[in-house]
Amino acid sequence: EVVNDLARSQRIELLMDANKRLVGYKVRSAQALQIARKVAELSTEEQAVYHAVKEAGNQGARSSQIRFRTRVPSAAKDLKKLESLGLIRLVKGIQGQKGGGLLYMLAGLEPSKDVSGGSWYKDGQFQFDRIAAARQAVTTYLGEYRVPIASADIMQALGSTHSLLTEELDQILGILELDGLVKQANGGYWLVRPVMDAPPVPTWCNCPCGNCSLLDRCRPGSKVCPERCQYIKDWLDQVEW
């Protein structure tokens, strides 16, 4: 009798197995009790719509899917009422992806990464500008050092100012490493600095005499001599005086 009274007052939740057999009880928290009492006041059709949304979990469901699953003609209107009661909410999935668009799920749930796209997405849109800003911040920071920097130190320096999560920083570092802009060494990351162009070699250093196999026989006025050397002539034609 006590259990029935608690169940009728929504203070406990009846736990059922896959065959709808009672396997236990769960005491509801104050928030869960408030939600349960709101649901208990709904009409039969509204409750069917609510439970369809609940079954969709953090994957969510579109209005058309809920109407199809419940066979409730007024599903669209019922969804609006449930939303106004704070029982469910509307989230925006990744645009252009199957299952994306506007989805309904319980108000207390966070959408899965399959739906939201993860932290690099906002309202279904990929945040290219945020990625670019994070890349720039990491490369600029690493450029200030000549030794490998641990990712934890990078996180401590940039995490709060750029609203980066540890997972996001790891992804940025991974992308920079694939792009050949950073490398891992000694448990940290360091910036790959571009190789500076070598200074131009003075023209006189290219004189063919230095590599000539006949150098030991070359004498002024002899058969092999600088005056008649075609290599020297070609080189002198290229020299900027």
Side-chain angles (χ1 to χ4, degrees), residues 192-213:
V192 176
R193 302 175 191 276
V195 178
M196 302 300 293
D197 292 335
V201 178
T203 305
W204 58 266
C205 291
N206 294 321
C207 177
C209 300
N211 297 316
C212 184
S213 61

Side-chain angles (χ1 to χ4, degrees), residues 209-239:
C209 300
N211 297 316
C212 184
S213 61
L214 301 174
L215 180 62
D216 58 339
R217 296 164 52 190
C218 185
R219 299 288 186 276
S222 66
K223 186 177 180 180
V224 179
C225 63
E227 303 97 280
R228 291 187 293 178
C229 179
Q230 186 62 41
Y231 296 114
I232 290 181
K233 182 179 182 301
D234 293 342
W235 172 65
L236 289 173
D237 289 342
Q238 298 174 12
V239 173

Side-chain angles (χ1 to χ4, degrees), residues 14 20 22 67 83 118 126 128-129 147 163 185 203 206:
L14 304 182
K20 303 298 182 182
L22 181 65
R67 185 171 61 252
E83 189 178 4
F126 189 71
F128 290 100
D129 292 343
V147 295
S163 301
T203 305
N206 294 321

Side-chain angles (χ1 to χ4, degrees), residues 124-172:
Q125 297 282 352
F126 189 71
Q127 301 180 81
F128 290 100
D129 292 343
R130 184 165 176 256
I131 289 277
R135 284 172 57 105
Q136 183 62 48
V138 171
T139 53
T140 300
Y141 178 75
L142 291 177
E144 298 173 358
Y145 298 89
R146 296 282 178 173
V147 295
I149 305 299
S151 59
D153 294 331
I154 303 173
M155 184 67 192
Q156 185 175 2
L158 304 177
S160 59
T161 54
H162 292 273
S163 301
L164 284 174
L165 302 173
T166 301
E167 177 186 353
E168 293 173 337
L169 176 61
D170 290 342
Q171 291 170 350
I172 290 294

Side-chain angles (χ1 to χ4, degrees), residues 90-95 100-103 115-116 122-125:
L90 197 58
V91 298
K92 197 171 186 179
I94 302 174
Q95 292 190 355
L102 297 176
L103 303 167
V115 172
S116 67
K122 184 177 182 180
D123 295 330
Q125 297 282 352

Side-chain angles (χ1 to χ4, degrees), residues 4-163:
N4 291 334
D5 289 341
L6 291 173
R8 280 193 295 269
S9 63
Q10 306 299 327
R11 292 184 178 278
I12 62 172
E13 180 181 359
L14 304 182
L15 303 179
M16 305 289 187
D17 62 13
N19 296 317
K20 303 298 182 182
R21 292 179 299 191
L22 181 65
V23 294
Y25 310 95
K26 180 181 178 182
V27 178
R28 288 191 168 101
S29 65
Q31 183 179 9
L33 177 60
Q34 184 180 16
I35 292 172
R37 286 176 174 173
K38 284 183 179 180
V39 173
E41 295 174 357
L42 299 174
S43 67
T44 302
E45 291 80 6
E46 292 166 348
Q47 286 189 14
V49 170
Y50 173 82
H51 287 295
V53 174
K54 184 177 181 180
E55 289 173 1
N58 62 359
Q59 294 292 326
R62 293 191 295 272
S63 175
S64 58
Q65 293 174 317
I66 295 168
R67 185 171 61 252
F68 176 79
R69 292 170 186 172
T70 60
R71 305 297 181 181
V72 174
S74 60
K77 182 185 71 173
D78 296 335
L79 286 167
K80 293 296 182 184
K81 179 178 178 179
L82 295 176
E83 189 178 4
S84 68
L85 292 173
L87 294 172
I88 65 173
R89 68 188 183 111
L90 197 58
V91 298
K92 197 171 186 179
I94 302 174
Q95 292 190 355
Q97 182 167 313
K98 184 179 179 181
L102 297 176
L103 303 167
Y104 286 97
M105 65 181 58
L106 294 185
L109 294 180
E110 285 297 323
S112 69
K113 287 186 178 181
D114 292 337
V115 172
S116 67
S119 57
W120 295 118
Y121 282 80
K122 184 177 182 180
D123 295 330
Q125 297 282 352
F126 189 71
Q127 301 180 81
F128 290 100
D129 292 343
R130 184 165 176 256
I131 289 277
R135 284 172 57 105
Q136 183 62 48
V138 171
T139 53
T140 300
Y141 178 75
L142 291 177
E144 298 173 358
Y145 298 89
R146 296 282 178 173
V147 295
I149 305 299
S151 59
D153 294 331
I154 303 173
M155 184 67 192
Q156 185 175 2
L158 304 177
S160 59
T161 54
H162 292 273
S163 301

